[in-house]
Amino acid sequence: MYPASLQELIEQFRRLPGVGEKTAERYALMIAEQPSEDAQRFADALIQVKQKLHHCPVCGNLTDEDTCSICRTESRDKGQIFVVQSAKDVSAMERTGEYNGVYHVLNGLISSSKGILPEDLNLEDLIQRARGAREVIIATSTTMDGETTAMYLDRLLKKECPEVLVTRIAHGLPSGGMLDYADEITLSHALQDRRKM
Ligand SMILES: [Zn+2]
């Protein structure tokens, strides 16, 4: 048994996804043996992210500023809205360099198993934005929740803004937040081969 302070740090690391007992122990011991400045920088980074980071009020992406860097870029095509589950998906799509429209980050999916309802997602804003757009590209995952959300959005958009073209990216991307594991070519093709819903 370690001293209480070290044990507490081990427990905090264990809460992270994919970190088991042995890894948590190794991380905590590493921190304990680091110079104080390094540990301080690590602690500061944790606090900064909680103080500064928030969802962009326009698109739901993560940002430290009033709005996110994509929404702030004048040259982005506001007529095309790419709808994803999480900020990780935005980051993955941006890495392809193939997309110059804007995003709408749902920060979740409609899910009966998790009790997430359409009203829990940021859909009012999406409808408002879609009214001024040419195309909404739905890029939620091909999991059950991803497909349920895509179908719901398609119906909602056709009802609320019948002028906008609603498309779905071509093939199965892994479930939300996992889009970044798909390679850039796969993502580019998924975008190019999108179909009308
Ligand atoms: Zn934004």
Side-chain angles (χ1 to χ4, degrees):
M1 194 67 177
Y2 288 114
S5 62
L6 189 57
Q7 196 59 43
E8 170 63 14
L9 190 55
I10 293 171
E11 265 146 45
Q12 292 306 316
F13 278 123
R14 279 218 64 178
R15 297 174 60 213
L16 300 174
V19 176
E21 183 70 40
K22 285 269 178 294
T23 306
E25 197 178 343
R26 190 154 51 84
Y27 287 171
L29 283 168
M30 192 204 81
I31 298 274
E33 283 154 16
Q34 267 182 347
S36 289
E37 308 88 79
D38 291 355
Q40 187 63 52
R41 206 171 308 134
F42 187 68
D44 286 347
L46 289 177
I47 292 163
Q48 289 289 314
V49 108
K50 292 311 291 177
Q51 284 178 345
K52 288 190 178 166
L53 201 70
H54 59 95
H55 294 296
C56 170
V58 179
C59 74
N61 192 13
L62 289 171
T63 183
D64 284 339
E65 312 284 330
D66 290 344
T67 55
C68 77
S69 60
I70 296 165
C71 289
R72 287 200 311 274
T73 306
E74 284 294 323
S75 60
R76 302 291 300 222
D77 178 3
K78 308 274 194 299
Q80 221 178 15
I81 304 171
F82 193 85
V83 182
V84 293
Q85 178 182 349
S86 80
K88 278 181 88 175
D89 303 330
V90 172
S91 169
M93 198 60 210
E94 285 299 288
R95 279 198 299 273
T96 70
E98 297 275 320
Y99 180 67
N100 191 45
V102 292
Y103 293 89
H104 193 87
V105 185
L106 298 169
N107 290 306
L109 292 174
I110 298 167
S111 170
S112 51
S113 61
K114 293 181 192 141
I116 302 172
L117 303 169
E119 47 268 40
D120 297 324
L121 305 178
N122 187 16
L123 301 183
E124 268 306 309
D125 288 352
L126 174 62
I127 292 164
Q128 290 302 327
R129 298 178 75 202
R131 286 197 174 118
R134 299 186 309 282
E135 182 181 4
V136 175
I137 305 163
I138 301 175
T140 53
S141 62
T142 50
T143 58
M144 201 200 290
D145 291 347
E147 292 293 359
T148 302
T149 306
M151 278 187 289
Y152 182 89
L153 289 179
D154 180 47
R155 272 202 311 273
L156 183 71
L157 289 163
K158 278 178 180 146
K159 181 167 156 262
E160 300 290 335
C161 16
E163 281 87 56
V164 77
L165 171 66
V166 183
T167 57
R168 179 99 168 96
I169 56 164
H171 32 78
L173 291 167
S175 71
M178 300 270 287
L179 200 93
D180 58 335
Y181 296 124
D183 65 68
E184 288 159 17
I185 295 164
T186 309
L187 270 176
S188 301
H189 286 169
L191 176 66
Q192 282 155 19
D193 301 343
R194 66 190 183 275
R195 59 187 157 73
K196 192 171 181 296
M197 283 192 82

mmCIF file with all atom_site columns, all heavy atoms in Angstrom, residues 88-108:
data_model
loop_
_atom_site.group_PDB
_atom_site.id
_atom_site.type_symbol
_atom_site.label_atom_id
_atom_site.label_alt_id
_atom_site.label_comp_id
_atom_site.label_asym_id
_atom_site.label_entity_id
_atom_site.label_seq_id
_atom_site.pdbx_PDB_ins_code
_atom_site.Cartn_x
_atom_site.Cartn_y
_atom_site.Cartn_z
_atom_site.occupancy
_atom_site.B_iso_or_equiv
_atom_site.pdbx_formal_charge
_atom_site.auth_seq_id
_atom_site.auth_comp_id
_atom_site.auth_asym_id
_atom_site.auth_atom_id
_atom_site.pdbx_PDB_model_num
ATOM 1   N N   . LYS A 1 88  ? -13.867 15.374 -31.768 1.00 0.00 ? 88  LYS A N   1
ATOM 2   C CA  . LYS A 1 88  ? -12.812 14.517 -32.324 1.00 0.00 ? 88  LYS A CA  1
ATOM 3   C C   . LYS A 1 88  ? -13.051 14.273 -33.807 1.00 0.00 ? 88  LYS A C   1
ATOM 4   O O   . LYS A 1 88  ? -12.112 14.148 -34.584 1.00 0.00 ? 88  LYS A O   1
ATOM 5   C CB  . LYS A 1 88  ? -12.785 13.159 -31.603 1.00 0.00 ? 88  LYS A CB  1
ATOM 6   C CG  . LYS A 1 88  ? -12.033 13.199 -30.293 1.00 0.00 ? 88  LYS A CG  1
ATOM 7   C CD  . LYS A 1 88  ? -12.021 11.840 -29.642 1.00 0.00 ? 88  LYS A CD  1
ATOM 8   C CE  . LYS A 1 88  ? -10.837 11.001 -30.116 1.00 0.00 ? 88  LYS A CE  1
ATOM 9   N NZ  . LYS A 1 88  ? -10.752 9.714  -29.407 1.00 0.00 ? 88  LYS A NZ  1
ATOM 10  N N   . ASP A 1 89  ? -14.318 14.179 -34.185 1.00 0.00 ? 89  ASP A N   1
ATOM 11  C CA  . ASP A 1 89  ? -14.656 13.952 -35.594 1.00 0.00 ? 89  ASP A CA  1
ATOM 12  C C   . ASP A 1 89  ? -14.284 15.170 -36.444 1.00 0.00 ? 89  ASP A C   1
ATOM 13  O O   . ASP A 1 89  ? -13.868 15.028 -37.590 1.00 0.00 ? 89  ASP A O   1
ATOM 14  C CB  . ASP A 1 89  ? -16.155 13.657 -35.747 1.00 0.00 ? 89  ASP A CB  1
ATOM 15  C CG  . ASP A 1 89  ? -16.595 12.460 -34.923 1.00 0.00 ? 89  ASP A CG  1
ATOM 16  O OD1 . ASP A 1 89  ? -15.779 11.554 -34.713 1.00 0.00 ? 89  ASP A OD1 1
ATOM 17  O OD2 . ASP A 1 89  ? -17.759 12.434 -34.491 1.00 0.00 ? 89  ASP A OD2 1
ATOM 18  N N   . VAL A 1 90  ? -14.445 16.366 -35.873 1.00 0.00 ? 90  VAL A N   1
ATOM 19  C CA  . VAL A 1 90  ? -14.071 17.598 -36.583 1.00 0.00 ? 90  VAL A CA  1
ATOM 20  C C   . VAL A 1 90  ? -12.576 17.572 -36.844 1.00 0.00 ? 90  VAL A C   1
ATOM 21  O O   . VAL A 1 90  ? -12.111 17.811 -37.967 1.00 0.00 ? 90  VAL A O   1
ATOM 22  C CB  . VAL A 1 90  ? -14.425 18.858 -35.750 1.00 0.00 ? 90  VAL A CB  1
ATOM 23  C CG1 . VAL A 1 90  ? -13.868 20.116 -36.401 1.00 0.00 ? 90  VAL A CG1 1
ATOM 24  C CG2 . VAL A 1 90  ? -15.926 18.973 -35.551 1.00 0.00 ? 90  VAL A CG2 1
ATOM 25  N N   . SER A 1 91  ? -11.841 17.239 -35.810 1.00 0.00 ? 91  SER A N   1
ATOM 26  C CA  . SER A 1 91  ? -10.396 17.200 -35.901 1.00 0.00 ? 91  SER A CA  1
ATOM 27  C C   . SER A 1 91  ? -9.946  16.205 -36.980 1.00 0.00 ? 91  SER A C   1
ATOM 28  O O   . SER A 1 91  ? -9.047  16.499 -37.783 1.00 0.00 ? 91  SER A O   1
ATOM 29  C CB  . SER A 1 91  ? -9.880  16.845 -34.511 1.00 0.00 ? 91  SER A CB  1
ATOM 30  O OG  . SER A 1 91  ? -8.556  16.550 -34.547 1.00 0.00 ? 91  SER A OG  1
ATOM 31  N N   . ALA A 1 92  ? -10.587 15.037 -37.026 1.00 0.00 ? 92  ALA A N   1
ATOM 32  C CA  . ALA A 1 92  ? -10.242 14.015 -38.028 1.00 0.00 ? 92  ALA A CA  1
ATOM 33  C C   . ALA A 1 92  ? -10.520 14.518 -39.443 1.00 0.00 ? 92  ALA A C   1
ATOM 34  O O   . ALA A 1 92  ? -9.706  14.362 -40.353 1.00 0.00 ? 92  ALA A O   1
ATOM 35  C CB  . ALA A 1 92  ? -11.024 12.742 -37.755 1.00 0.00 ? 92  ALA A CB  1
ATOM 36  N N   . MET A 1 93  ? -11.685 15.143 -39.615 1.00 0.00 ? 93  MET A N   1
ATOM 37  C CA  . MET A 1 93  ? -12.063 15.621 -40.942 1.00 0.00 ? 93  MET A CA  1
ATOM 38  C C   . MET A 1 93  ? -11.143 16.748 -41.385 1.00 0.00 ? 93  MET A C   1
ATOM 39  O O   . MET A 1 93  ? -10.768 16.838 -42.554 1.00 0.00 ? 93  MET A O   1
ATOM 40  C CB  . MET A 1 93  ? -13.522 16.100 -40.897 1.00 0.00 ? 93  MET A CB  1
ATOM 41  C CG  . MET A 1 93  ? -14.174 16.209 -42.245 1.00 0.00 ? 93  MET A CG  1
ATOM 42  S SD  . MET A 1 93  ? -14.207 14.613 -43.083 1.00 0.00 ? 93  MET A SD  1
ATOM 43  C CE  . MET A 1 93  ? -14.137 15.159 -44.768 1.00 0.00 ? 93  MET A CE  1
ATOM 44  N N   . GLU A 1 94  ? -10.769 17.604 -40.452 1.00 0.00 ? 94  GLU A N   1
ATOM 45  C CA  . GLU A 1 94  ? -9.875  18.714 -40.788 1.00 0.00 ? 94  GLU A CA  1
ATOM 46  C C   . GLU A 1 94  ? -8.516  18.202 -41.255 1.00 0.00 ? 94  GLU A C   1
ATOM 47  O O   . GLU A 1 94  ? -7.886  18.811 -42.110 1.00 0.00 ? 94  GLU A O   1
ATOM 48  C CB  . GLU A 1 94  ? -9.697  19.641 -39.580 1.00 0.00 ? 94  GLU A CB  1
ATOM 49  C CG  . GLU A 1 94  ? -10.902 20.514 -39.327 1.00 0.00 ? 94  GLU A CG  1
ATOM 50  C CD  . GLU A 1 94  ? -11.188 21.432 -40.512 1.00 0.00 ? 94  GLU A CD  1
ATOM 51  O OE1 . GLU A 1 94  ? -10.428 22.375 -40.730 1.00 0.00 ? 94  GLU A OE1 1
ATOM 52  O OE2 . GLU A 1 94  ? -12.184 21.190 -41.228 1.00 0.00 ? 94  GLU A OE2 1
ATOM 53  N N   . ARG A 1 95  ? -8.077  17.081 -40.694 1.00 0.00 ? 95  ARG A N   1
ATOM 54  C CA  . ARG A 1 95  ? -6.781  16.525 -41.094 1.00 0.00 ? 95  ARG A CA  1
ATOM 55  C C   . ARG A 1 95  ? -6.765  16.079 -42.550 1.00 0.00 ? 95  ARG A C   1
ATOM 56  O O   . ARG A 1 95  ? -5.718  16.015 -43.168 1.00 0.00 ? 95  ARG A O   1
ATOM 57  C CB  . ARG A 1 95  ? -6.375  15.360 -40.183 1.00 0.00 ? 95  ARG A CB  1
ATOM 58  C CG  . ARG A 1 95  ? -5.761  15.817 -38.871 1.00 0.00 ? 95  ARG A CG  1
ATOM 59  C CD  . ARG A 1 95  ? -4.977  14.697 -38.205 1.00 0.00 ? 95  ARG A CD  1
ATOM 60  N NE  . ARG A 1 95  ? -5.818  13.547 -37.894 1.00 0.00 ? 95  ARG A NE  1
ATOM 61  C CZ  . ARG A 1 95  ? -6.511  13.422 -36.772 1.00 0.00 ? 95  ARG A CZ  1
ATOM 62  N NH1 . ARG A 1 95  ? -6.432  14.343 -35.843 1.00 0.00 ? 95  ARG A NH1 1
ATOM 63  N NH2 . ARG A 1 95  ? -7.259  12.363 -36.561 1.00 0.00 ? 95  ARG A NH2 1
ATOM 64  N N   . THR A 1 96  ? -7.939  15.773 -43.114 1.00 0.00 ? 96  THR A N   1
ATOM 65  C CA  . THR A 1 96  ? -7.960  15.350 -44.518 1.00 0.00 ? 96  THR A CA  1
ATOM 66  C C   . THR A 1 96  ? -7.673  16.547 -45.439 1.00 0.00 ? 96  THR A C   1
ATOM 67  O O   . THR A 1 96  ? -7.207  16.371 -46.546 1.00 0.00 ? 96  THR A O   1
ATOM 68  C CB  . THR A 1 96  ? -9.321  14.759 -44.948 1.00 0.00 ? 96  THR A CB  1
ATOM 69  O OG1 . THR A 1 96  ? -10.298 15.808 -44.991 1.00 0.00 ? 96  THR A OG1 1
ATOM 70  C CG2 . THR A 1 96  ? -9.799  13.656 -44.026 1.00 0.00 ? 96  THR A CG2 1
ATOM 71  N N   . GLY A 1 97  ? -7.978  17.748 -44.971 1.00 0.00 ? 97  GLY A N   1
ATOM 72  C CA  . GLY A 1 97  ? -7.767  18.944 -45.788 1.00 0.00 ? 97  GLY A CA  1
ATOM 73  C C   . GLY A 1 97  ? -8.699  19.005 -46.995 1.00 0.00 ? 97  GLY A C   1
ATOM 74  O O   . GLY A 1 97  ? -8.494  19.783 -47.909 1.00 0.00 ? 97  GLY A O   1
ATOM 75  N N   . GLU A 1 98  ? -9.746  18.169 -47.010 1.00 0.00 ? 98  GLU A N   1
ATOM 76  C CA  . GLU A 1 98  ? -10.622 18.036 -48.176 1.00 0.00 ? 98  GLU A CA  1
ATOM 77  C C   . GLU A 1 98  ? -11.933 18.804 -48.022 1.00 0.00 ? 98  GLU A C   1
ATOM 78  O O   . GLU A 1 98  ? -12.748 18.799 -48.925 1.00 0.00 ? 98  GLU A O   1
ATOM 79  C CB  . GLU A 1 98  ? -10.999 16.560 -48.384 1.00 0.00 ? 98  GLU A CB  1
ATOM 80  C CG  . GLU A 1 98  ? -9.844  15.654 -48.697 1.00 0.00 ? 98  GLU A CG  1
ATOM 81  C CD  . GLU A 1 98  ? -9.523  15.645 -50.181 1.00 0.00 ? 98  GLU A CD  1
ATOM 82  O OE1 . GLU A 1 98  ? -10.471 15.651 -50.974 1.00 0.00 ? 98  GLU A OE1 1
ATOM 83  O OE2 . GLU A 1 98  ? -8.328  15.640 -50.513 1.00 0.00 ? 98  GLU A OE2 1
ATOM 84  N N   . TYR A 1 99  ? -12.124 19.365 -46.850 1.00 0.00 ? 99  TYR A N   1
ATOM 85  C CA  . TYR A 1 99  ? -13.433 19.949 -46.582 1.00 0.00 ? 99  TYR A CA  1
ATOM 86  C C   . TYR A 1 99  ? -13.294 21.425 -46.214 1.00 0.00 ? 99  TYR A C   1
ATOM 87  O O   . TYR A 1 99  ? -12.498 21.782 -45.346 1.00 0.00 ? 99  TYR A O   1
ATOM 88  C CB  . TYR A 1 99  ? -14.110 19.179 -45.449 1.00 0.00 ? 99  TYR A CB  1
ATOM 89  C CG  . TYR A 1 99  ? -15.477 19.689 -45.092 1.00 0.00 ? 99  TYR A CG  1
ATOM 90  C CD1 . TYR A 1 99  ? -16.533 19.580 -45.992 1.00 0.00 ? 99  TYR A CD1 1
ATOM 91  C CD2 . TYR A 1 99  ? -15.702 20.307 -43.871 1.00 0.00 ? 99  TYR A CD2 1
ATOM 92  C CE1 . TYR A 1 99  ? -17.787 20.080 -45.673 1.00 0.00 ? 99  TYR A CE1 1
ATOM 93  C CE2 . TYR A 1 99  ? -16.954 20.802 -43.545 1.00 0.00 ? 99  TYR A CE2 1
ATOM 94  C CZ  . TYR A 1 99  ? -17.988 20.686 -44.456 1.00 0.00 ? 99  TYR A CZ  1
ATOM 95  O OH  . TYR A 1 99  ? -19.222 21.180 -44.133 1.00 0.00 ? 99  TYR A OH  1
ATOM 96  N N   . ASN A 1 100 ? -14.066 22.270 -46.879 1.00 0.00 ? 100 ASN A N   1
ATOM 97  C CA  . ASN A 1 100 ? -13.980 23.700 -46.601 1.00 0.00 ? 100 ASN A CA  1
ATOM 98  C C   . ASN A 1 100 ? -15.295 24.307 -46.110 1.00 0.00 ? 100 ASN A C   1
ATOM 99  O O   . ASN A 1 100 ? -15.460 25.515 -46.051 1.00 0.00 ? 100 ASN A O   1
ATOM 100 C CB  . ASN A 1 100 ? -13.462 24.458 -47.836 1.00 0.00 ? 100 ASN A CB  1
ATOM 101 C CG  . ASN A 1 100 ? -13.101 25.901 -47.489 1.00 0.00 ? 100 ASN A CG  1
ATOM 102 O OD1 . ASN A 1 100 ? -12.464 26.143 -46.475 1.00 0.00 ? 100 ASN A OD1 1
ATOM 103 N ND2 . ASN A 1 100 ? -13.558 26.842 -48.294 1.00 0.00 ? 100 ASN A ND2 1
ATOM 104 N N   . GLY A 1 101 ? -16.255 23.440 -45.765 1.00 0.00 ? 101 GLY A N   1
ATOM 105 C CA  . GLY A 1 101 ? -17.504 23.947 -45.211 1.00 0.00 ? 101 GLY A CA  1
ATOM 106 C C   . GLY A 1 101 ? -17.366 24.146 -43.705 1.00 0.00 ? 101 GLY A C   1
ATOM 107 O O   . GLY A 1 101 ? -16.250 24.234 -43.187 1.00 0.00 ? 101 GLY A O   1
ATOM 108 N N   . VAL A 1 102 ? -18.494 24.210 -43.028 1.00 0.00 ? 102 VAL A N   1
ATOM 109 C CA  . VAL A 1 102 ? -18.487 24.349 -41.568 1.00 0.00 ? 102 VAL A CA  1
ATOM 110 C C   . VAL A 1 102 ? -19.039 23.069 -40.935 1.00 0.00 ? 102 VAL A C   1
ATOM 111 O O   . VAL A 1 102 ? -19.446 22.149 -41.652 1.00 0.00 ? 102 VAL A O   1
ATOM 112 C CB  . VAL A 1 102 ? -19.295 25.596 -41.123 1.00 0.00 ? 102 VAL A CB  1
ATOM 113 C CG1 . VAL A 1 102 ? -18.596 26.872 -41.545 1.00 0.00 ? 102 VAL A CG1 1
ATOM 114 C CG2 . VAL A 1 102 ? -20.729 25.553 -41.656 1.00 0.00 ? 102 VAL A CG2 1
ATOM 115 N N   . TYR A 1 103 ? -19.042 23.015 -39.620 1.00 0.00 ? 103 TYR A N   1
ATOM 116 C CA  . TYR A 1 103 ? -19.479 21.809 -38.905 1.00 0.00 ? 103 TYR A CA  1
ATOM 117 C C   . TYR A 1 103 ? -20.656 22.115 -37.990 1.00 0.00 ? 103 TYR A C   1
ATOM 118 O O   . TYR A 1 103 ? -20.907 23.264 -37.638 1.00 0.00 ? 103 TYR A O   1
ATOM 119 C CB  . TYR A 1 103 ? -18.340 21.272 -38.033 1.00 0.00 ? 103 TYR A CB  1
ATOM 120 C CG  . TYR A 1 103 ? -17.171 20.749 -38.830 1.00 0.00 ? 103 TYR A CG  1
ATOM 121 C CD1 . TYR A 1 103 ? -16.139 21.610 -39.200 1.00 0.00 ? 103 TYR A CD1 1
ATOM 122 C CD2 . TYR A 1 103 ? -17.109 19.422 -39.226 1.00 0.00 ? 103 TYR A CD2 1
ATOM 123 C CE1 . TYR A 1 103 ? -15.065 21.150 -39.949 1.00 0.00 ? 103 TYR A CE1 1
ATOM 124 C CE2 . TYR A 1 103 ? -16.034 18.946 -39.973 1.00 0.00 ? 103 TYR A CE2 1
ATOM 125 C CZ  . TYR A 1 103 ? -15.021 19.819 -40.333 1.00 0.00 ? 103 TYR A CZ  1
ATOM 126 O OH  . TYR A 1 103 ? -13.963 19.357 -41.075 1.00 0.00 ? 103 TYR A OH  1
ATOM 127 N N   . HIS A 1 104 ? -21.327 21.033 -37.585 1.00 0.00 ? 104 HIS A N   1
ATOM 128 C CA  . HIS A 1 104 ? -22.248 21.145 -36.465 1.00 0.00 ? 104 HIS A CA  1
ATOM 129 C C   . HIS A 1 104 ? -21.989 19.929 -35.580 1.00 0.00 ? 104 HIS A C   1
ATOM 130 O O   . HIS A 1 104 ? -22.153 18.794 -36.019 1.00 0.00 ? 104 HIS A O   1
ATOM 131 C CB  . HIS A 1 104 ? -23.709 21.182 -36.939 1.00 0.00 ? 104 HIS A CB  1
ATOM 132 C CG  . HIS A 1 104 ? -24.631 21.608 -35.852 1.00 0.00 ? 104 HIS A CG  1
ATOM 133 N ND1 . HIS A 1 104 ? -24.919 22.940 -35.591 1.00 0.00 ? 104 HIS A ND1 1
ATOM 134 C CD2 . HIS A 1 104 ? -25.285 20.889 -34.923 1.00 0.00 ? 104 HIS A CD2 1
ATOM 135 C CE1 . HIS A 1 104 ? -25.728 23.005 -34.549 1.00 0.00 ? 104 HIS A CE1 1
ATOM 136 N NE2 . HIS A 1 104 ? -25.977 21.785 -34.128 1.00 0.00 ? 104 HIS A NE2 1
ATOM 137 N N   . VAL A 1 105 ? -21.544 20.184 -34.350 1.00 0.00 ? 105 VAL A N   1
ATOM 138 C CA  . VAL A 1 105 ? -21.176 19.094 -33.445 1.00 0.00 ? 105 VAL A CA  1
ATOM 139 C C   . VAL A 1 105 ? -22.340 18.839 -32.485 1.00 0.00 ? 105 VAL A C   1
ATOM 140 O O   . VAL A 1 105 ? -22.734 19.719 -31.724 1.00 0.00 ? 105 VAL A O   1
ATOM 141 C CB  . VAL A 1 105 ? -19.890 19.429 -32.656 1.00 0.00 ? 105 VAL A CB  1
ATOM 142 C CG1 . VAL A 1 105 ? -19.456 18.229 -31.815 1.00 0.00 ? 105 VAL A CG1 1
ATOM 143 C CG2 . VAL A 1 105 ? -18.771 19.861 -33.604 1.00 0.00 ? 105 VAL A CG2 1
ATOM 144 N N   . LEU A 1 106 ? -22.899 17.636 -32.552 1.00 0.00 ? 106 LEU A N   1
ATOM 145 C CA  . LEU A 1 106 ? -24.074 17.307 -31.744 1.00 0.00 ? 106 LEU A CA  1
ATOM 146 C C   . LEU A 1 106 ? -23.723 17.096 -30.270 1.00 0.00 ? 106 LEU A C   1
ATOM 147 O O   . LEU A 1 106 ? -24.562 17.249 -29.396 1.00 0.00 ? 106 LEU A O   1
ATOM 148 C CB  . LEU A 1 106 ? -24.740 16.037 -32.283 1.00 0.00 ? 106 LEU A CB  1
ATOM 149 C CG  . LEU A 1 106 ? -25.282 16.113 -33.713 1.00 0.00 ? 106 LEU A CG  1
ATOM 150 C CD1 . LEU A 1 106 ? -25.670 14.716 -34.193 1.00 0.00 ? 106 LEU A CD1 1
ATOM 151 C CD2 . LEU A 1 106 ? -26.481 17.053 -33.785 1.00 0.00 ? 106 LEU A CD2 1
ATOM 152 N N   . ASN A 1 107 ? -22.469 16.705 -30.023 1.00 0.00 ? 107 ASN A N   1
ATOM 153 C CA  . ASN A 1 107 ? -22.047 16.340 -28.675 1.00 0.00 ? 107 ASN A CA  1
ATOM 154 C C   . ASN A 1 107 ? -22.944 15.264 -28.080 1.00 0.00 ? 107 ASN A C   1
ATOM 155 O O   . ASN A 1 107 ? -23.376 15.348 -26.928 1.00 0.00 ? 107 ASN A O   1
ATOM 156 C CB  . ASN A 1 107 ? -21.953 17.581 -27.788 1.00 0.00 ? 107 ASN A CB  1
ATOM 157 C CG  . ASN A 1 107 ? -20.797 18.470 -28.185 1.00 0.00 ? 107 ASN A CG  1
ATOM 158 O OD1 . ASN A 1 107 ? -19.655 18.014 -28.265 1.00 0.00 ? 107 ASN A OD1 1
ATOM 159 N ND2 . ASN A 1 107 ? -21.075 19.724 -28.504 1.00 0.00 ? 107 ASN A ND2 1
ATOM 160 N N   . GLY A 1 108 ? -23.189 14.244 -28.883 1.00 0.00 ? 108 GLY A N   1
ATOM 161 C CA  . GLY A 1 108 ? -23.991 13.102 -28.441 1.00 0.00 ? 108 GLY A CA  1
ATOM 162 C C   . GLY A 1 108 ? -24.778 12.544 -29.612 1.00 0.00 ? 108 GLY A C   1
ATOM 163 O O   . GLY A 1 108 ? -24.721 13.075 -30.726 1.00 0.00 ? 108 GLY A O   1
#
